[in-house]
């Protein structure tokens, strides 16, 4: 197939008719397919079912420090869980707090505390500043943006590149504006592009001069063990690097087992400098007596160490990699060389970032929906739901079966080409 | 034994010597006993161990609405859990949100949201008012007060009586001051006195005129099923009563299974008007995708209904009632008729409120500590940790064994009498 732009008006008209017919056929099929969220497939959840065999009424539920896990206490987590996450995130056990079931909650609560009480070493609560701002490398994760929007934090879009945010932009902004207090980062297999932060980006982020002396990097290491290729990518250790530059309090690191064991019944963790940890614990002690310690032990018994975790993640990859491959193959086959789409082919994580011609994404997502295929809302990958070029669509291929995914992709490709042809004809 | 006040100086001096000798003997025993927090005893936790047998790798973990509990979703809880808590709290399922493992967290987060965003129907966020205030019926629960202190909410002490707060005081305060936005209530088996709110108090609280039109009752129904006598006390339904008076948005109700199954691994719930529920969900959706649904199902499978819950709570009572009885018997025997102590004898809950002569509580708690018996800090039952009369001590008898408790009470009674004699001699 040639680039659509090379086609004559008549050829385009004829292609439009074919595509419209095809689209109407899909509509007739009454499809109900969903590629909107990064949800593991049921087969992935089956991988962790043996975790439910670990405890029964005869189990002794004591931590290695002797505390009865069934009772109150353990504000910052059981020692075993701290060791596990410290190993996973390559930090010291003193730099870790074990949370509840959700790293999103830890991020929300961290911002909530910063707004109301300020951060460790900060001069004042962020709410007492003039309207504060965060940098939002985009396309990015809608739930990050939603937290900021919820607290009235202004989001400034910076360009997301293959190796992280455009650091020239970032440095220029934070150097001048003391109201810029933070940046959102998904350093490995970024949502949605799969970008991997380079060593240089990690160094510049942790070393750059910031006008705000209480600037924080929100380092959402959501996909740190979620590899899709044999190459198990390592991103430079942000906490260590920040320490080396004398900015140890700058990074807040978040992770969880949501896409490792059971989303909703996993364990989340927060890693940061000891000063940040002490500050967080001071506030947390007002909010809770402790998170679910039995579930913490269940997880560390299931994964004895990071080696067994890696083996487990390979099983996840075996289930979802064929889905990613199906997306790439379908896109290449149906959209390749037509000059109407480009997409990322990430080495891990949960998403593919797809760009269609400017001004078409909203219409394409709507058309797909009307044919029974639900995608992440167009614009969701940008702050305030507004993609300035209206071209980015996030593809979440993990949840549907391969068969469902194949159909959903056929519908999507038809919608993309149809809209592109319409655009060329208009 | 006669009232100490009736003794001559010589008799007091001689009694002081006896008590001092006894205290020194206790010090020589190197005791390490703890009556500081309302923790269930290990035998109580054993009652719920069969909950861990309910699921294994072959279990089907779907809710009755078909959703896969292992995956993301279920922001406000699974239908079965809503039914269970709705039945327990005598509200409609539409008036319930199921939370994580802690009702304290639900209370904290509710106040945090009110501070930052205001409450449903409120004119503005509470943080944008002049310094707001809460009423704190005292003695009361230190963790309630701590939340307010954390958010800079001023606490106004009101007198706690046997049937709830002194309503004349409460009504007079809230009628005049629009900055009073809330009141803390533990309506049944109150912490620490065991007070039970009368119908009249519930009616006056829900019907009273408040200058603030966004006034809220924080109704911590922590001990709603935690009876210690055969008489299973019912407190008038606060949500229903508020509705009848046209103030349906006034109560926020909190409860959990922390002292029913496993503290830290239980399930918490929030009940309120549908408008309040909708408001809470709007904010929660930014904080979490959903709480632990597997643990919710584990609980509703363990307790099929409120009847089986009641049977379970009777087993708890059988374990802890002898401990409460030991406290009463020891106090009667060692402190009775001496004119130096009075205490509550609650029909449920986790605490006994003990009053010693004015100005002695801090010293008594310190003396007990120096003899190896840790009590709740003196003053903890009042806002800012300051008991104006320095006389209230909270007794938490559930965690120690009967043998440990017996020794701890002997030490405590010695300290009380010793300090009282010293006071009379000074």
């Amino acid at each position: 197939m040639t680039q659509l732009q090379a086609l004559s008006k008549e050829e385009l008209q004829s292609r439009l008719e074919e595509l419209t017919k095809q689209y109407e056929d899909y509509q007739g099929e009454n499809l109900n397919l969903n590629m909107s969220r990064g949800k593991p497939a049921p087969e992935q959840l089956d991988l962790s079912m043996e975790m439910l065999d670990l405890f029964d009424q005869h189990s002794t539920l004591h931590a290695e420090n002797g505390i009865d896990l069934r009772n109150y206490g353990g504000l910052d987590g059981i020692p075993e869980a701290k060791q596990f996450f410290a190993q996973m995130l390559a930090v010291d056990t003193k730099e870790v707090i074990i949370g509840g079931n959700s790293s999103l909650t830890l991020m929300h609560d961290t911002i909530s505390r910063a707004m109301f009480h300020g951060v460790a070493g900060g001069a004042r609560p962020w709410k007492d500043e003039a309207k504060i701002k965060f940098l939002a490398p985009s396309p990015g994760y809608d739930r990050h943006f939603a937290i900021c929007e919820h607290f009235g934090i202004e989001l400034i879009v910076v360009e997301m590149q293959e190796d992280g945010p455009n650091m020239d932009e970032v440095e220029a902004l934070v150097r001048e504006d003391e109201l810029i207090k933070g940046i959102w980062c998904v350093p490995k297999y970024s949502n949605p592009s799969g970008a991997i932060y380079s060593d240089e980006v990690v160094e510049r982020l942790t070393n750059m001069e910031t006008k705000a002396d209480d600037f924080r990097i929100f380092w959402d290491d959501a996909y740190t063990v979620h590899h899709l290729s044999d190459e198990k990518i390592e991103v430079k250790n942000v906490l260590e690097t920040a320490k080396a530059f004398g900015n140890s309090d700058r990074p807040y690191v978040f992770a969880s087992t949501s896409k490792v064991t059971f989303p909703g019944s996993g364990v989340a963790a927060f890693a940061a400098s000891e000063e940040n940890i002490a500050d967080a614990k001071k506030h947390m002690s007002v909010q809770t007596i402790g998170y679910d310690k039995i579930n913490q032990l269940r997880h560390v018994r299931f994964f004895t160490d990071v080696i067994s975790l890696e083996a487990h993640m390979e099983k996840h990859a075996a289930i979802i990699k064929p889905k990613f491959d199906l997306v790439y193959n379908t896109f290449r086959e149906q959209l390749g060389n037509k000059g109407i789409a480009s997409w990322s082919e990430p080495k891990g994580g949960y998403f593919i970032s797809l760009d269609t011609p400017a001004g078409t994404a909203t219409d394409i997502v709507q058309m797909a929906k009307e044919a029974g295929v639900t995608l992440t809302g167009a614009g969701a990958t940008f702050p305030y739901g507004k993609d300035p070029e209206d071209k980015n669509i996030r593809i979440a291929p993990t949840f549907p079966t391969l068969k469902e995914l194949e159909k959903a992709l056929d519908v999507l490709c038809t919608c993309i080409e149809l809209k592109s042809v319409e655009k060329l004809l208009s």
Side-chain angles (χ1 to χ4, degrees), chain A:
Chain A
M1 192 77 189
T2 50
Q3 297 258 326
L4 289 188
Q5 289 92 328
L7 297 184
S8 70
K9 197 173 171 189
E10 288 68 31
E11 284 167 319
L12 284 172
Q13 198 62 52
S14 145
R15 183 72 188 136
L16 183 65
E17 277 160 33
E18 278 169 38
L19 290 161
T20 303
K21 172 74 178 58
Q22 202 166 46
Y23 178 72
E24 285 165 1
D25 288 349
Y26 289 137
Q27 281 191 307
E29 291 183 42
N30 294 315
L31 302 171
N32 183 13
L33 304 168
N34 197 315
M35 288 199 293
S36 70
R37 304 291 330 172
K39 284 171 75 169
E43 300 74 35
Q44 292 178 263
L45 306 175
D46 291 344
L47 298 174
S48 301
M49 286 299 284
E50 286 178 32
M51 203 162 60
L52 299 174
D53 294 344
L54 294 174
F55 300 143
D56 65 22
Q57 60 169 310
H58 306 294
S59 301
T60 302
L61 297 174
H62 286 81
E64 61 183 32
N65 61 359
I67 68 158
D68 188 340
L69 301 182
R70 305 171 304 171
N71 219 324
Y72 284 110
L75 177 66
D76 56 354
I78 66 172
E80 297 93 321
K82 285 190 208 174
Q83 281 154 29
F84 176 78
F85 276 102
Q87 198 186 356
M88 179 168 134
L89 299 170
V91 299
D92 192 274
T93 50
K94 291 185 200 133
E95 296 166 333
V96 179
I97 288 172
I98 311 303
N101 72 332
S102 161
S103 57
L104 184 73
T105 302
L106 291 177
M107 293 178 229
H108 169 282
D109 290 0
T110 300
I111 289 194
S112 176
R113 289 194 295 259
M115 290 304 289
F116 218 90
H117 303 281
V119 299
R124 65 187 72 82
W126 289 358
K127 74 173 170 47
D128 295 341
E129 308 266 7
K131 190 182 186 70
I132 66 160
K133 306 166 195 171
F134 263 50
L135 300 185
S138 302
Y141 181 33
D142 55 353
R143 292 191 192 271
H144 289 164
F145 304 154
I147 293 172
C148 283
E149 292 169 29
H150 189 65
F151 285 103
I153 298 171
E154 186 183 327
L155 289 159
I156 301 172
V157 172
V158 297
E159 187 199 3
M160 188 65 187
Q161 300 176 323
E162 277 187 24
D163 63 349
N166 180 327
M167 284 307 302
D168 292 340
E169 267 188 71
V170 169
E171 286 168 344
L173 284 160
V174 299
R175 191 187 304 122
E176 298 299 330
D177 190 345
E178 66 184 335
L179 293 176
I180 299 177
K181 297 290 190 186
I183 184 170
W184 285 110
C185 298
V186 182
K188 198 193 283 187
Y189 314 137
S190 171
N191 177 352
S193 73
I196 298 158
Y197 281 38
S198 66
D199 290 0
E200 190 198 328
V201 166
V202 178
E203 285 160 14
R204 289 173 73 177
L205 278 168
T206 49
N207 190 33
M208 67 191 179
E209 184 194 329
T210 63
K211 187 96 183 255
D213 57 10
D214 55 355
F215 183 88
R216 290 294 186 273
I217 301 168
F218 283 73
W219 196 255
D220 183 359
D221 212 359
Y223 308 109
T224 190
V225 293
H226 304 61
H227 312 287
L228 284 171
S229 77
D230 294 335
E231 192 190 350
K232 302 204 173 2
I233 305 287
E234 284 299 329
V235 166
K236 198 172 167 78
N237 187 314
V238 71
L239 204 48
E240 220 165 66
T241 313
K243 258 186 239 178
F245 287 125
N247 292 318
S248 60
D249 289 340
R250 191 175 288 179
Y252 286 149
V253 180
F254 303 92
S256 81
T257 68
S258 290
K259 292 184 179 84
V260 175
T261 59
F262 301 130
S265 302
V267 175
F270 171 69
S273 71
E274 287 188 54
E275 196 178 348
N276 281 332
I277 292 290
D279 182 70
K281 279 166 67 172
K282 187 181 69 188
H283 296 297
M284 278 169 58
S285 69
V286 178
Q287 186 183 20
T288 182
I289 301 172
Y291 294 104
D292 186 341
K293 299 182 294 300
I294 296 179
N295 204 34
Q296 289 174 27
L297 189 68
R298 191 180 279 120
H299 276 74
V300 294
R301 287 272 171 85
F302 188 56
F303 300 114
T304 46
D305 56 22
V306 167
I307 306 298
S308 73
L309 172 64
E310 276 177 12
H312 182 80
M313 294 314 292
E314 281 168 15
K315 294 182 201 162
H316 276 286
I319 295 168
I320 63 177
K321 189 163 187 309
K323 298 181 182 181
F324 280 80
D325 289 340
L326 179 63
V327 177
Y328 308 147
N329 292 336
T330 309
F331 282 176
R332 279 181 210 140
E333 199 178 292
Q334 300 193 28
L335 305 174
N337 298 321
K338 289 186 184 169
I340 54 174
S342 61
W343 56 90
S344 63
E345 299 197 358
K347 292 180 177 170
Y350 262 65
F351 302 102
I352 293 158
S353 180
L354 169 71
D355 280 336
T356 58
T360 62
T362 303
D363 287 350
I364 289 165
V365 169
Q366 182 58 30
M367 273 195 82
K369 192 174 185 66
E370 286 166 14
V373 175
T374 305
L375 298 157
T376 306
T381 55
F382 283 78
Y384 313 108
K386 283 186 193 126
D387 175 359
E389 297 189 73
D390 189 24
K391 69 174 190 181
N392 188 251
I393 297 173
R394 185 179 77 165
I395 306 294
T398 54
F399 187 72
T401 63
L402 274 169
K403 194 161 176 282
E404 289 168 337
L405 185 62
E406 190 176 2
K407 176 62 83 175
L409 290 167
D410 287 344
V411 173
L412 173 61
C413 288
T414 299
C415 296
I416 292 170
E417 190 174 349
L418 202 158
K419 273 291 150 196
S420 302
V421 170
E422 276 185 1
K423 190 162 189 270
L424 286 170
L425 281 169
S426 68

